[in-house]
Amino acid sequence: MAPPQAVVIVDPLSTGCSLALEAASRGYSVIALWDGDLPQEVMFHTPASAKSLHYHAVVHERATVEETAAAVLAAAGNLGLAACIAGAEPGVSLADALSQELGLRTNGISAARRNKWCQQESVRSAGLRAVRQACGSQWCDLRAFVEAEPMPIIVKPAEGAGSDGVRLCRSPKEAEAHVRLLAKRPHIFGLQNKEVLCQEFLRGREYVVDHVSRDGEHKTMMVWVYDKRPANGAEFVEHGMLPVNPGSAVASKVIHYARAVLDALGIRNGPSHGEVIMTQTGPCLVEMNCRTHGGDGAWLPLARALTGGYTQVDATMDAFLDEEAFQQLPEVPPNPLRASGLNVELVSFKEGLVKATPGYDRIRRMESFVSLEPACEVGSTLRPTVDILSQAGSVILMHEDPKVVRRDHDEIRRMEAEHSLFDVVEI
């Protein structure tokens, strides 16, 4: 019998909690390691599905990677260490450095895993399509690029996530204002924005390509297409996500491109969540997130049904802990997909104190309802949705008849438009 072992999850937030639950379900003890710069309030962002999660130990990053490794080894005690995996975007760099220091399966260290400017330049150096861009900590670093680039342009944090701080700017004056705003405000994880990116605006539909890799072998877990629309003054509010048939021509193109990006970035092990826009001249990277697909893992039941039994989360554990199981996974999801469904992100158009959640109750009674990850409860504050943190919840709809899914989806959108998802008192 193999001796007991532990898995380290760096910043177990969002779907990182699902990784921790999967490791625990396989008999591994789980050590939570928190990035030293992460504000304490962010550490409590735990999906409802992971409220019962118990850690063998909780460790906080030390001043050096050597000291952090020593602290993790001390916390593990007699347990061997089986893997060190990033649970969320802020933990990517630390997970890379620590896994290398501990001699575990690793991608090694690279600034291009976390910094989106470095990422695009690495992709460009590999001969792949990348965005025109400029990066800087203040407006004077970016002014020349902005004034020469056709409008509109994208302005966003260099190390953000979840569409936080991403703005479509239609004039140099608007771009300057947003650069100055980002330079003095924290990003989605509560950390100060160190640099701001200005990029060309890519026209086309935005696709998600989720992979899991082991020793440079990339296996596609799922291809999705975002439903992003303007709402509440924000240009790119996520309204949902639809699965894409892996046998389609567009899926083939974005999968091929995403795998080339993974190679360019040196991502040989673990999960990745690539966002790609299909332009008129072909696919172009928005960003490659070197961790699992986020969204609190609300999409997991749908992904498991679509593939017929596996998800990016359990495939990630296979890649790190069970080579035989990883080798048995298919290169791409089944064609056709095994189910019909979609992920609906709930969008709020009101602000106030929540008195009741009648919309949640109606959604749970829908014929195609599978799961709901609520973002509000009685007594909480509801805000207009402008990014992932202000979403009003996440719903999975699934049914053998696509018409039923579409009907229920349209009903949710009607409730949003009529402000009947929540009873609120204005504040």
Side-chain angles (χ1 to χ4, degrees):
M1 184 176 178
Q5 291 186 302
V7 170
V8 180
I9 305 294
V10 184
D11 291 347
L13 303 166
S14 186
T15 311
C17 294
S18 301
L19 287 173
L21 286 170
E22 179 64 23
S25 74
R26 299 186 183 207
Y28 291 86
S29 297
V30 180
I31 297 174
L33 172 61
W34 293 106
D35 176 10
D37 291 330
L38 204 66
Q40 189 163 0
E41 59 268 22
V42 178
M43 300 177 191
F44 296 102
H45 183 71
T46 304
S49 59
K51 296 297 184 184
S52 62
L53 192 56
H54 174 75
Y55 295 116
H56 172 77
V58 176
V59 179
H60 294 269
E61 183 185 10
R62 304 299 199 263
T64 67
V65 68
E66 293 83 5
E67 292 174 29
T68 303
V72 168
L73 288 169
N78 295 327
L79 297 174
L81 294 180
C84 175
I85 308 170
E89 190 69 15
V92 167
S93 297
L94 179 55
D96 280 351
L98 186 62
S99 57
Q100 179 172 278
E101 177 69 20
L102 292 170
L104 300 172
R105 182 171 295 280
T106 186
N107 288 313
I109 301 171
S110 170
R113 310 271 165 65
R114 185 78 180 88
N115 185 286
K116 308 309 180 187
W117 182 85
C118 295
Q119 192 171 95
Q120 291 282 352
E121 294 309 307
S122 296
V123 170
R124 195 187 325 279
S125 296
L128 301 170
R129 169 76 161 94
V131 296
R132 297 187 302 273
Q133 63 174 359
C135 183
S137 59
Q138 51 191 340
W139 171 243
C140 62
D141 301 328
L142 302 162
R143 181 174 180 173
F145 172 85
V146 171
E147 292 180 345
E149 183 69 16
M151 294 289 124
I153 64 168
I154 295 293
V155 179
K156 68 181 186 179
E159 295 188 359
S163 297
D164 172 60
V166 179
R167 185 175 180 87
L168 183 68
C169 296
R170 293 177 169 81
S171 70
K173 185 177 180 179
E174 189 178 347
E176 178 182 359
H178 196 57
V179 167
R180 294 188 186 281
L181 174 66
L182 291 178
K184 65 183 181 183
R185 57 155 267 196
H187 61 55
I188 191 170
F189 297 110
L191 308 180
Q192 188 62 39
N193 287 312
K194 297 177 182 178
E195 292 181 309
V196 177
L197 272 178
C198 292
Q199 297 179 327
E200 69 169 295
F201 175 53
L202 299 171
R203 289 177 168 81
R205 300 194 76 183
E206 185 174 356
Y207 292 84
V208 174
V209 192
D210 293 332
H211 278 96
V212 173
S213 307
R214 180 185 168 97
D215 294 333
E217 181 182 2
H218 311 304
K219 297 199 173 186
T220 307
M221 297 293 105
M222 189 57 59
V223 179
W224 312 87
V225 62
Y226 279 139
D227 176 8
K228 289 185 178 181
R229 316 177 205 166
N232 298 310
E235 291 284 348
F236 307 108
V237 175
E238 188 175 340
H239 285 62
M241 188 173 65
L242 293 80
V244 177
N245 189 325
S248 65
V250 68
S252 177
K253 289 178 181 178
V254 295
I255 288 171
H256 178 78
Y257 175 82
R259 291 182 178 183
V261 169
L262 293 175
D263 291 337
L265 299 178
I267 301 173
R268 295 177 50 81
N269 294 290
S272 57
H273 171 64
E275 296 171 330
V276 176
I277 287 182
M278 181 59 74
T279 72
Q280 288 185 336
T281 58
C284 184
L285 183 69
V286 175
E287 57 189 47
M288 182 62 73
N289 303 287
C290 309
R291 39 80 178 171
T292 53
H293 189 137
D296 286 348
W299 46 271
L300 286 166
L302 175 58
R304 190 177 302 282
L306 292 167
T307 63
Y310 65 91
T311 72
Q312 188 186 36
V313 165
D314 42 72
T316 294
M317 287 302 157
D318 290 342
F320 282 98
L321 307 173
D322 191 339
E323 179 180 7
E324 183 178 351
F326 178 78
Q327 294 302 332
Q328 291 175 356
L329 291 169
E331 291 292 324
V332 295
N335 178 25
L337 295 168
R338 300 289 189 256
S340 176
L342 50 80
N343 184 179
V344 183
E345 302 296 351
L346 300 181
V347 177
S348 164
F349 295 94
K350 294 187 70 175
E351 182 170 8
L353 193 68
V354 177
K355 290 175 54 183
T357 57
Y360 284 171
D361 297 331
R362 293 177 199 164
I363 289 170
R364 290 187 177 101
R365 293 194 296 268
M366 289 179 171
E367 188 176 354
S368 64
F369 172 77
V370 173
S371 64
L372 166 66
E373 186 73 35
C376 299
E377 58 185 14
V378 174
S380 66
T381 301
L382 178 71
R383 303 195 185 281
T385 303
V386 295
D387 55 25
I388 193 170
L389 289 184
S390 51
Q391 285 171 342
S394 186
V395 180
I396 297 299
L397 301 178
M398 194 161 48
H399 196 275
E400 60 184 11
D401 185 352
K403 293 180 180 178
V404 174
V405 175
R406 178 53 56 185
R407 181 198 66 201
D408 291 347
H409 167 271
D410 291 347
E411 174 63 13
I412 290 173
R413 296 299 177 219
R414 184 192 64 77
M415 287 191 287
E416 288 175 342
E418 294 177 353
H419 310 300
S420 60
L421 281 173
F422 307 99
D423 291 340
V424 300
V425 178
E426 292 187 7
I427 54 176

